[in-house]
Amino acid sequence: MELLRADAFERLVPGRRLVFTYPVVVACEKAGNNSRRRVSVVVMDSAVDQRNSRVECAAMVVPCHKERDWIYASEGGQWQLLASAAASRLIMIFRNGVLLGEGGENCANDDDDDEGLKKQLGPLVVALAPRICFQAGPPVIPFVSYADNILQRIVVERAYSTLTGAIVVEDLCDEEDRNRKSVRVVWRRRLRFKRMPNLIQTEVSLNFQSGTQTSASEAQINVKDLSSVDRIVHGRTQRLGVCGQTNGGLHLDHSRLVHKYLAPIVAGLVLVAPALEAWMELGKRVKVLALGIGGGALPIFLHKHFHFHIQAVELDEVVLDLACRHFGLIEDALMTVEVGDGTVTIDRIAMQVARTGTVAVPLLEAWQQACDNSAHHPSSLSDLNSDFTHKDEKPVAEHRVLVDSNILNVGCKNCHRAHSGKSSMLCESCDPRVHVIIVDVDEGDARLGLSSPPSSFLQCRFLMGTKIALHRGGILAMNVVPFEETLYQGVIATLMGVFEEVYETVVEDDVNRVVFALPSAAACVRLDGPLVSLIKQLVDAQLLTRIHKFGVSNTESMDLVV
């Protein structure tokens, strides 16, 4: 094959993935003979620009009996493993050529010696390393591994979506801590996509109901009797109904957030606590727009503990259905869900806000220009008018000629009163603005240097639309998953070009970073305020001290908290 000529692997080709088979002979000590086989080899080069960073090469032998797991078998999972290894090139080796369909489901011999296989493949791995790794002599290529500590995995439902692809809802018994005598295990429900199998879309705790074996999601199991995990899980885990309870004694626990990056999003609300508390003191509900639902863990948490009015938007109808049936997402007076594109939702709300007359003309004109320059539909404000303009009303864009004191003056179509352009004069039912916008959407391509959010959520049009859609004193929270620092800094620079202030919090032991953007400067926050006090009860209070403002020192950035 031309692609596999002698010099095929000498240089890095960003985003390249090659698959081929290779014959090996592995000695089996217990059987006393040699095993002849063909292994499948996958060679992947990171799509991230490596010109200004150190080139690393790593290898991985896929664990026996794990060859069909999504994280190893799917292309998306392999790209995620490359990113997790922080390598420029990853060489993956599958026994029996199962990746190409040449072998059986499992390893040919359970007694396979991994170390012997690594030794046998050592020369091949070195030969597959890029030339730049040989600058200081023959390289030593490390073998890396992936561990998820999963003791038991039970599939609750498999689904398929034309938008997302293969989806699985699964219940897991997860090893959280181990000592010499016992292992602490937890039960969780997960939502995963095959295209990004190592990226857990949603994860919530599963607890035993009171009166059963234990009232917590944790249990201590003797190390010598790990088979009890199989008995407990198989005996209790059943298909979950919409009420969030199972027939076998397990139920969903939304009292805490399992995903590491979700609690920092909640902690970030302290940045706008004074504005939110002032709104709540008037007897009004804080309105939250959640773009990207997944299983709905964060919207459910905010609904359950804060009693905010939640508007959740999910692009994939299949995902939304799974969230309702398996993760306890229930629509009611304070929780509305819809299927749609989050960028279109922002366009719609921004248009509605513009029609209320509360948008300063410079911002509205800047948004108009961004819409005109956008490649996404609708391409301009005039394209949106068909959705929101009545026969006897002029298009919003035509209101530019009615500018008075830099504020658009239009009437309120719901209460039929003409507002002066001041937000305080709008009745609550006529005010489409929200206080919090949460963007938690992934790109769906593990090869990209920025897995989340998609590029459309970083365009000027969308960001200016969110600024229009937010109340003064509101906040945009965004989950960012960067695999390259320069791309992350680009996200920050883009946000700082639109918003007054930008903050971040780094999620410990996780690639996720949570970014907050404020349309107006944050006010001084009192730690004894009612909202802040509630936040500290529900999440680790230390998270409040890890919020850093871009452009100032860490000490200065926390001066707003008193």
Side-chain angles (χ1 to χ4, degrees), residues 481-537:
V481 184
F483 294 114
E484 185 181 6
E485 184 63 24
T486 56
L487 290 177
Y488 177 66
Q489 293 303 322
V491 171
I492 300 305
T494 299
L495 291 172
M496 293 183 71
V498 176
F499 291 88
E500 184 75 17
E501 293 182 347
V502 178
Y503 295 77
E504 75 163 346
T505 179
V506 178
V507 183
E508 290 189 342
D509 302 321
D510 201 301
V511 69
N512 299 67
R513 301 190 190 185
V514 178
V515 178
F516 306 99
L518 280 60
S520 56
C524 187
V525 177
R526 295 191 61 85
L527 290 181
D528 58 354
L531 180 59
V532 178
S533 297
L534 179 58
I535 291 173
K536 290 193 295 182
Q537 292 176 20

Side-chain angles (χ1 to χ4, degrees), residues 217-276:
S217 61
E218 303 172 355
Q220 294 286 341
I221 294 178
N222 193 297
V223 167
K224 296 180 180 180
D225 190 24
L226 284 179
S227 62
S228 61
V229 172
D230 182 76
R231 294 198 300 272
I232 292 173
V233 177
H234 273 293
R236 295 187 178 273
T237 302
Q238 304 293 332
R239 188 180 181 91
L240 184 69
V242 69
C243 62
Q245 297 183 345
T246 68
N247 298 324
L250 285 171
H251 71 287
L252 291 171
D253 176 16
H254 287 290
S255 64
R256 64 189 182 96
L257 294 166
V258 176
H259 252 142
K260 291 183 178 181
Y261 74 92
L262 294 182
I265 292 178
V266 175
L269 297 181
V270 301
L271 294 170
V272 291
L276 300 185

Side-chain angles (χ1 to χ4, degrees), residues 305-318:
H305 299 286
F306 292 87
H307 306 292
F308 292 161
H309 187 285
I310 312 294
Q311 179 186 357
V313 181
E314 170 60 47
L315 182 63
D316 195 326
E317 187 172 7
V318 175

Side-chain angles (χ1 to χ4, degrees), residues 262-299:
L262 294 182
I265 292 178
V266 175
L269 297 181
V270 301
L271 294 170
V272 291
L276 300 185
E277 289 171 346
W279 187 261
M280 295 163 64
E281 288 174 0
L282 296 175
K284 300 179 180 180
R285 299 277 185 184
V286 171
K287 294 193 289 186
V288 177
L289 175 62
L291 305 180
I293 296 177
L298 184 56

Side-chain angles (χ1 to χ4, degrees), residues 23 124 150 190 213 222 225 245 323 337 395-396 408 430 527:
L124 171 65
I150 301 300
R190 282 182 177 177
Q213 177 173 335
N222 193 297
D225 190 24
Q245 297 183 345
V337 298
V396 171
L408 291 180
C430 300
L527 290 181

Side-chain angles (χ1 to χ4, degrees), residues 250-399:
L250 285 171
H251 71 287
L252 291 171
D253 176 16
H254 287 290
S255 64
R256 64 189 182 96
L257 294 166
V258 176
H259 252 142
K260 291 183 178 181
Y261 74 92
L262 294 182
I265 292 178
V266 175
L269 297 181
V270 301
L271 294 170
V272 291
L276 300 185
E277 289 171 346
W279 187 261
M280 295 163 64
E281 288 174 0
L282 296 175
K284 300 179 180 180
R285 299 277 185 184
V286 171
K287 294 193 289 186
V288 177
L289 175 62
L291 305 180
I293 296 177
L298 184 56
I300 294 172
F301 185 85
L302 295 175
H303 174 271
K304 175 182 176 68
H305 299 286
F306 292 87
H307 306 292
F308 292 161
H309 187 285
I310 312 294
Q311 179 186 357
V313 181
E314 170 60 47
L315 182 63
D316 195 326
E317 187 172 7
V318 175
V319 172
L320 181 56
D321 175 65
L322 293 172
C324 293
R325 291 192 294 109
H326 294 304
F327 291 89
L329 181 65
I330 301 175
E331 190 168 11
D332 59 23
L334 295 180
M335 172 77 80
T336 61
V337 298
E338 64 179 79
V339 177
D341 186 333
T343 61
V344 175
T345 299
I346 289 296
D347 278 341
R348 184 178 72 239
I349 295 177
M351 171 61 65
Q352 292 171 331
V353 175
R355 295 179 67 242
T356 65
T358 60
V359 184
V361 170
L363 176 57
L364 185 61
E365 291 183 338
W367 184 51
Q368 168 70 67
Q369 184 63 47
C371 288
D372 290 341
N373 294 336
S374 174
H376 295 277
H377 296 292
S379 60
S380 68
L381 291 181
S382 58
D383 294 329
L384 286 167
N385 286 330
S386 59
D387 292 331
F388 302 104
T389 303
H390 298 280
K391 290 186 296 182
D392 57 344
E393 292 178 328
K394 295 181 179 180
V396 171
E398 295 182 15
H399 280 287

Side-chain angles (χ1 to χ4, degrees), residues 26-34 109-113:
V26 180
C28 182
E29 296 181 1
K30 292 186 178 181
N33 56 25
N34 294 333
N109 193 325
D110 289 342
D111 294 324
D112 280 348
D113 182 1

